[in-house]
């Protein structure tokens, strides 16, 4: 009798989206990453984002899918392509998918040539991804050991509204560590000043990042990454993409929508203007004053059953190497891809432009 965890038996659990599209997904993120890599260190974050968006869209439109962008570059009137609601793919075949994309997560990181920029996306069946508005989400992200601990210890659960010490003590017990040994990643923003001080008072170590807390969130599910918790508010799209990976890896995300003006403690008149501007859009997505403050867990953020996720490094980060460009248009890229069956792949790929002039480089 075969062992239940052999590759064959795991892959039998792959859904149609994973079976058909997971091998192709990294080609989409890799194309976007290579396009962005040509702009590393050039100081123009907008152009770096533009070329990565264009490359990702071209690749998506080569896939035999009927796809709808659920998380994208923004509303249609703010983004010329890969906007929320845009239809992509050839329209051929039977696969209908919702898509979350961030062609260049960490535009500043790419423009400045510093670590942590990636190209990332996720797919699921229709209604399988939270229809996220272009606002912030306050969140906390932890790995699968914490989820297991919560199951075994009812009443000891991560709580978005709990003091930092309460949550960190749960994480410490789950990981068999002291709070002082924990590393908490949080965006280096003025709005997080009080939260950073609160975390440091617990004795935990704070890792401030200038941009891009998506991959640190994923890193909480990777043993040896050196990251144990992610806290703080950031883009809602990044929260959904993080949740896509964490659902596959067994981790946990808790999040709540918050307007940027509220998160950044703007004056009341500024908050009022943003409410007036954004609430009509939010209501179209099913979000109103009654459910705006609801806590969204991993399942609510990603209710899909057939979920796939891929990310490619643009500049070297927590566990993905950056894209290396060689002469004649060649590139070497490092990616991660995963699907709901439980298959996770790290890929090291070389794209050869001219086979005669550019033999494979080690």
């Amino acid at each position: 009798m075969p062992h239940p965890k052999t590759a064959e038996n795991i892959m039998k659990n792959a859904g149609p989206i994973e079976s058909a599209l997971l091998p192709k997904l990294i080609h989409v993120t890799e194309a976007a990453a290579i396009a962005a890599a040509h702009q590393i260190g050039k100081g123009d974050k907008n152009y770096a984002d533009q070329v990565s968006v264009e490359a990702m869209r071209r690749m998506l439109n080569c896939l035999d899918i009927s796809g709808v962008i659920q998380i994208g570059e923004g509303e249609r009137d703010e983004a010329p392509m890969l906007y929320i609601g845009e239809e992509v793919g050839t329209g051929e075949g039977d696969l209908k998918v919702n898509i979350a994309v961030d062609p260049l997560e960490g535009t500043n990181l790419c423009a400045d040539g510093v670590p942590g920029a990636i190209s990332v996306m996720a797919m699921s069946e229709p209604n399988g991804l939270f229809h996220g508005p272009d606002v912030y989400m306050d969140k906390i992200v932890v790995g699968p050991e914490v989820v297991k601990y919560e199951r075994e210890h009812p009443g000891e659960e991560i709580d978005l509204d709990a003091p930092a010490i309460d949550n960190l003590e749960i994480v410490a017990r789950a990981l068999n560590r002291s709070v002082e040994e924990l590393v908490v990643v949080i965006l280096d923003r003025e709005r997080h000043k009080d939260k950073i001080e609160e975390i440091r008072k617990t004795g935990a170590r704070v890792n401030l990042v200038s941009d891009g807390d998506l991959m640190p969130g994923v890193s909480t599910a990777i043993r040896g990454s050196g990251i144990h918790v992610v806290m703080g508010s950031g883009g809602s799209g990044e929260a959904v993409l993080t949740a896509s990976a964490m659902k596959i890896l067994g981790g946990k995300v808790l999040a709540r929508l918050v307007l940027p003006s509220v998160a950044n403690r703007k004056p009341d008149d500024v908050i009022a203007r943003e409410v007036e501007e954004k609430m009509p859009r939010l209501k179209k997505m099913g979000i109103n004053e009654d459910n705006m403050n609801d806590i969204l867990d991993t399942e609510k953020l990603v209710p899909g059953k057939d979920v796939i996720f891929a990310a490619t490094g643009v500049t070297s980060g927590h566990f993905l190497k950056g894209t290396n460009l060689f002469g004649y248009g060649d590139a070497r890229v490092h990616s991660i891809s995963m699907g709901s069956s439980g298959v996770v792949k790290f890929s090291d790929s070389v794209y050869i432009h001219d086979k005669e002039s550019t033999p494979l480089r080690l």
Side-chain angles (χ1 to χ4, degrees):
M1 181 177 178
H3 191 279
K5 291 188 177 179
T6 58
E8 303 96 298
N9 284 283
I10 290 175
M11 284 307 298
K12 285 179 182 178
N13 295 322
I17 293 174
E18 180 177 353
S19 297
L21 296 177
L22 186 58
K24 302 175 182 179
L25 202 65
I26 62 169
H27 296 307
V28 180
T29 58
E30 287 175 350
I34 291 170
H38 284 86
Q39 306 305 316
I40 292 174
K42 294 186 176 181
D44 191 341
K45 68 174 186 177
N46 293 328
Y47 187 65
D49 189 47
Q50 177 186 329
V51 296
S52 62
V53 169
E54 291 171 349
M56 179 172 279
R57 185 172 185 258
R58 286 194 297 269
M59 292 299 293
L60 282 170
N61 282 329
C62 292
L63 298 179
D64 289 335
I65 59 173
S66 296
V68 177
I69 302 298
Q70 198 85 339
I71 298 288
E73 290 291 283
E75 305 292 339
R76 181 171 185 170
D77 57 351
E78 298 172 355
M81 56 184 67
L82 294 183
Y83 55 82
I84 297 171
E86 181 177 359
E87 296 181 1
V88 294
T90 65
E92 300 179 5
D94 299 326
L95 288 177
K96 297 182 179 181
V97 296
N98 282 172
I99 307 170
V101 301
D102 196 340
L104 183 55
E105 153 78 344
T107 54
N108 286 314
L109 303 177
C110 176
D112 294 338
V114 296
I118 60 168
S119 174
V120 58
M121 67 180 305
M123 287 186 182
S124 78
E125 69 271 28
N127 301 314
L129 299 172
F130 180 76
H131 195 10
D134 189 18
V135 296
Y136 285 178
M137 278 188 179
D138 188 22
K139 62 186 176 297
I140 181 168
V141 187
V142 293
E145 294 100 334
V146 179
V147 176
K148 180 182 178 182
Y149 180 87
E150 289 178 334
R151 283 199 303 267
E152 295 173 349
H153 299 80
E156 294 190 50
E157 298 175 349
I158 298 297
D159 185 342
L160 194 61
D161 293 322
I165 185 61
D166 293 355
N167 287 322
L168 294 178
E169 284 179 345
I170 292 172
V171 175
R173 289 193 289 270
L175 299 180
N176 196 26
R177 293 170 176 262
S178 66
V179 171
E180 288 76 12
E181 294 175 301
L182 299 181
V183 174
V184 182
V185 168
I186 187 168
L187 286 170
D188 188 7
R189 299 288 188 271
E190 180 64 27
R191 64 179 178 268
H192 292 148
K193 181 179 178 180
D194 293 344
K195 177 65 72 174
I196 292 168
E197 183 178 347
E198 181 188 4
I199 295 168
R200 284 178 170 158
K201 284 182 177 179
T202 70
R205 293 172 288 168
V206 174
N207 183 344
L208 296 176
V209 292
S210 62
D211 292 279
D213 64 356
L214 192 162
M215 292 309 278
V218 178
S219 296
T220 64
I222 299 177
R223 188 169 294 172
S225 71
I227 297 173
H228 308 111
V229 188
V230 171
M231 292 182 176
S233 60
S236 60
E238 288 81 355
V240 174
L241 282 161
T242 302
S244 300
M246 297 305 278
K247 180 165 183 175
I248 295 168
L249 297 173
K252 180 176 181 177
V253 181
L254 293 178
R256 178 193 287 120
L257 291 166
V258 57
L259 295 173
S261 59
V262 175
N264 290 310
R265 303 174 186 175
K266 298 295 184 180
D268 290 345
D269 61 326
V270 176
I271 294 174
R273 284 198 300 271
E274 187 175 28
V275 169
E276 183 179 1
E277 173 193 340
K278 292 189 178 293
M279 282 312 297
R281 294 179 178 181
L282 297 182
K283 288 178 180 178
K284 288 181 180 179
M285 298 178 180
I287 298 163
N288 53 49
E289 293 86 350
D290 294 331
N291 59 18
M292 180 79 178
N293 294 318
D294 288 355
I295 292 179
L296 306 168
D297 61 13
T298 314
E299 286 298 320
K300 290 180 180 178
L301 291 168
V302 186
K305 303 301 180 186
D306 192 359
V307 181
I308 55 177
F309 173 96
T312 301
V314 177
T315 58
S316 293
H318 297 278
F319 58 85
L320 290 178
K321 299 175 184 177
T323 297
N324 287 328
L325 301 176
F326 308 117
Y328 305 98
D330 295 359
R332 185 172 186 174
V333 292
H334 193 216
S335 303
I336 185 173
S337 60
M338 60 186 85
S340 292
S341 68
V343 174
V344 180
K345 298 179 181 179
F346 286 91
S347 306
D348 188 359
S349 305
V350 177
Y351 287 79
I352 302 174
H353 181 261
D354 186 333
K355 298 179 181 64
E356 294 181 355
S357 299
T358 56
L360 190 66
R361 293 169 170 80
L362 294 177

